[in-house]
Amino acid sequence: MGYRNQPMATVKAAVDKTTLFSEKTRQDIDNWVAKYPDEWKQSAVMAALRIVQDDNGGWLTPELMDKVAAYLDMAPIAVYEVASFYSMYEHKPVGKHKICMCTNVSCMLNGSDKIVQHLEERLDIKLGETTNDGRFTLKEVECLGACVGAPMMQIGEKYYENLTPELIDSILDSLE
Ligand code: FES
Protein backbone atom coordinates (compact mmCIF):
# COMPACT_ATOMS: atom_id res chain seq x y z
CA MET A 1 0.00 0.00 0.00
CA GLY A 2 1.42 3.38 -0.95
CA TYR A 3 1.74 6.30 1.43
CA ARG A 4 -1.14 8.17 -0.21
CA ASN A 5 -3.54 5.31 0.41
CA GLN A 6 -2.87 4.94 4.08
CA PRO A 7 -5.43 6.27 6.57
CA MET A 8 -4.24 9.59 8.00
CA ALA A 9 -3.98 8.14 11.51
CA THR A 10 -1.28 5.69 10.37
CA VAL A 11 0.98 8.27 8.74
CA LYS A 12 0.76 10.90 11.46
CA ALA A 13 2.74 10.68 14.63
CA ALA A 14 0.60 9.27 17.40
CA VAL A 15 -0.77 11.94 19.73
CA ASP A 16 -1.28 11.28 23.40
CA LYS A 17 -4.84 12.59 23.54
CA THR A 18 -4.85 12.78 27.30
CA THR A 19 -2.49 15.74 26.97
CA LEU A 20 -4.83 17.74 24.73
CA PHE A 21 -7.60 18.62 27.17
CA SER A 22 -8.56 18.22 30.79
CA GLU A 23 -10.24 15.00 31.85
CA LYS A 24 -13.57 16.81 32.21
CA THR A 25 -13.32 18.28 28.72
CA ARG A 26 -12.38 14.92 27.26
CA GLN A 27 -15.35 13.31 28.98
CA ASP A 28 -17.69 15.97 27.61
CA ILE A 29 -16.35 15.51 24.09
CA ASP A 30 -16.38 11.72 24.42
CA ASN A 31 -20.07 11.83 25.37
CA TRP A 32 -20.74 13.41 22.00
CA VAL A 33 -18.37 11.11 20.12
CA ALA A 34 -20.29 8.16 21.57
CA LYS A 35 -23.44 9.30 19.79
CA TYR A 36 -21.91 8.46 16.40
CA PRO A 37 -20.49 5.32 14.79
CA ASP A 38 -16.75 4.92 15.43
CA GLU A 39 -15.86 5.82 11.85
CA TRP A 40 -17.89 9.04 12.09
CA LYS A 41 -16.53 10.50 15.31
CA GLN A 42 -15.70 13.68 13.41
CA SER A 43 -19.43 14.36 13.51
CA ALA A 44 -18.84 15.52 17.07
CA VAL A 45 -16.71 18.44 15.86
CA MET A 46 -19.36 21.11 16.42
CA ALA A 47 -20.03 19.95 19.95
CA ALA A 48 -16.31 19.63 20.64
CA LEU A 49 -15.68 23.19 19.46
CA ARG A 50 -18.52 24.47 21.63
CA ILE A 51 -17.21 22.63 24.69
CA VAL A 52 -13.66 23.85 24.16
CA GLN A 53 -14.88 27.39 23.48
CA ASP A 54 -16.93 27.42 26.69
CA ASP A 55 -13.93 26.17 28.64
CA ASN A 56 -11.86 29.01 27.20
CA GLY A 57 -14.11 31.87 28.25
CA GLY A 58 -16.18 31.91 25.07
CA TRP A 59 -13.67 31.99 22.23
CA LEU A 60 -11.44 29.74 20.17
CA THR A 61 -7.74 30.05 19.39
CA PRO A 62 -5.95 28.34 16.49
CA GLU A 63 -4.19 26.16 19.06
CA LEU A 64 -7.51 24.98 20.49
CA MET A 65 -8.88 24.24 17.02
CA ASP A 66 -5.71 22.24 16.26
CA LYS A 67 -6.27 20.28 19.45
CA VAL A 68 -9.85 19.51 18.47
CA ALA A 69 -8.55 18.31 15.10
CA ALA A 70 -6.00 16.07 16.76
CA TYR A 71 -8.53 14.73 19.24
CA LEU A 72 -11.01 13.79 16.51
CA ASP A 73 -8.37 12.67 13.99
CA MET A 74 -9.36 15.40 11.58
CA ALA A 75 -7.36 17.63 9.29
CA PRO A 76 -7.02 21.04 10.99
CA ILE A 77 -8.41 22.80 7.92
CA ALA A 78 -11.67 20.84 8.27
CA VAL A 79 -12.03 22.12 11.83
CA TYR A 80 -11.20 25.69 10.78
CA GLU A 81 -13.90 25.50 8.11
CA VAL A 82 -16.55 24.56 10.65
CA ALA A 83 -15.36 27.09 13.21
CA SER A 84 -15.32 29.92 10.67
CA PHE A 85 -18.67 29.06 9.05
CA TYR A 86 -20.95 29.07 12.09
CA SER A 87 -21.54 32.33 13.92
CA MET A 88 -21.67 30.70 17.33
CA TYR A 89 -17.91 30.29 17.33
CA GLU A 90 -15.79 33.25 18.36
CA HIS A 91 -12.24 33.95 17.31
CA LYS A 92 -11.44 36.78 19.65
CA PRO A 93 -12.27 37.39 23.32
CA VAL A 94 -15.89 38.17 24.14
CA GLY A 95 -17.60 39.73 27.11
CA LYS A 96 -19.00 37.79 30.02
CA HIS A 97 -22.45 38.04 28.44
CA LYS A 98 -22.62 37.61 24.66
CA ILE A 99 -25.81 39.18 23.35
CA CYS A 100 -26.73 37.61 20.01
CA MET A 101 -29.27 39.93 18.45
CA CYS A 102 -31.22 38.56 15.51
CA THR A 103 -31.77 41.05 12.70
CA ASN A 104 -33.07 38.61 10.14
CA VAL A 105 -36.36 39.09 8.28
CA SER A 106 -38.97 38.32 10.93
CA CYS A 107 -37.10 40.20 13.63
CA MET A 108 -36.40 43.09 11.27
CA LEU A 109 -40.09 43.36 10.37
CA ASN A 110 -40.93 43.39 14.07
CA GLY A 111 -38.58 46.19 15.04
CA SER A 112 -35.16 44.68 15.68
CA ASP A 113 -33.59 47.94 14.48
CA LYS A 114 -35.08 49.78 17.45
CA ILE A 115 -33.88 47.06 19.79
CA VAL A 116 -30.38 47.23 18.36
CA GLN A 117 -30.40 51.00 18.73
CA HIS A 118 -31.49 50.70 22.35
CA LEU A 119 -28.82 48.10 23.09
CA GLU A 120 -26.14 50.21 21.46
CA GLU A 121 -27.15 53.29 23.41
CA ARG A 122 -27.52 51.47 26.70
CA LEU A 123 -24.20 49.62 26.38
CA ASP A 124 -22.40 52.45 24.55
CA ILE A 125 -21.04 50.06 21.94
CA LYS A 126 -21.87 49.14 18.36
CA LEU A 127 -22.72 45.73 16.93
CA GLY A 128 -19.62 43.56 17.00
CA GLU A 129 -18.08 45.36 19.96
CA THR A 130 -17.49 44.57 23.63
CA THR A 131 -17.99 46.97 26.52
CA ASN A 132 -14.84 48.36 28.10
CA ASP A 133 -15.59 46.56 31.35
CA GLY A 134 -15.75 43.22 29.49
CA ARG A 135 -19.28 42.49 30.62
CA PHE A 136 -21.15 42.55 27.32
CA THR A 137 -20.49 41.71 23.69
CA LEU A 138 -23.16 42.75 21.22
CA LYS A 139 -23.33 40.53 18.16
CA GLU A 140 -25.62 40.56 15.14
CA VAL A 141 -26.75 37.08 14.13
CA GLU A 142 -28.91 35.43 11.52
CA CYS A 143 -32.26 33.76 12.27
CA LEU A 144 -32.14 31.76 15.50
CA GLY A 145 -35.32 29.87 14.70
CA ALA A 146 -37.55 31.73 17.13
CA CYS A 147 -39.29 33.93 14.57
CA VAL A 148 -42.64 33.57 16.34
CA GLY A 149 -41.16 35.58 19.22
CA ALA A 150 -39.59 38.27 17.03
CA PRO A 151 -37.77 40.44 17.78
CA MET A 152 -35.55 38.19 19.82
CA MET A 153 -32.02 37.74 21.13
CA GLN A 154 -29.96 35.03 22.77
CA ILE A 155 -27.74 35.47 25.81
CA GLY A 156 -25.87 32.36 26.88
CA GLU A 157 -28.25 29.47 26.36
CA LYS A 158 -31.40 31.50 26.90
CA TYR A 159 -33.70 33.05 24.31
CA TYR A 160 -35.43 36.36 25.05
CA GLU A 161 -38.40 37.07 22.82
CA ASN A 162 -40.90 39.81 22.01
CA LEU A 163 -38.29 42.34 23.00
CA THR A 164 -39.05 45.94 23.86
CA PRO A 165 -36.66 48.60 25.15
CA GLU A 166 -38.21 48.22 28.61
CA LEU A 167 -37.73 44.45 28.55
CA ILE A 168 -34.14 44.90 27.42
CA ASP A 169 -33.49 47.14 30.43
CA SER A 170 -34.92 44.63 32.87
CA ILE A 171 -32.99 41.76 31.28
CA LEU A 172 -29.68 43.62 31.41
CA ASP A 173 -30.38 44.76 34.97
CA SER A 174 -30.91 41.14 35.98
CA LEU A 175 -27.54 39.98 34.69
CA GLU A 176 -24.55 40.02 36.99
S1 FES B 1 -35.78 36.11 12.04
FE1 FES B 1 -35.17 36.43 14.09
S2 FES B 1 -35.48 34.48 15.01
FE2 FES B 1 -36.02 34.14 12.93
Side-chain angles (χ1 to χ4, degrees), residues 73 77 92-93 105 157 173:
D73 294 324
I77 185 65
K92 61 182 181 182
V105 177
E157 296 183 352
D173 287 344

Side-chain angles (χ1 to χ4, degrees), residues 87-155:
S87 65
M88 62 190 182
Y89 302 117
E90 304 295 337
H91 300 277
K92 61 182 181 182
V94 294
K96 180 179 179 183
H97 304 290
K98 183 171 73 171
I99 301 171
C100 295
M101 181 68 215
C102 176
T103 57
N104 214 291
V105 177
S106 296
C107 288
M108 180 186 70
L109 292 174
N110 283 280
S112 63
D113 55 337
K114 289 191 177 63
I115 300 301
V116 169
Q117 183 182 2
H118 187 74
L119 281 164
E120 289 183 336
E121 289 174 0
R122 158 113 189 200
L123 299 174
D124 195 24
I125 54 174
K126 296 292 184 188
L127 287 171
E129 295 180 348
T130 298
T131 55
N132 285 336
D133 61 5
R135 290 189 70 222
F136 294 100
T137 292
L138 181 56
K139 181 171 182 174
E140 182 176 33
V141 298
E142 300 296 333
C143 179
L144 291 173
C147 311
V148 70
M152 63 80 64
M153 66 182 182
Q154 179 182 11
I155 304 177

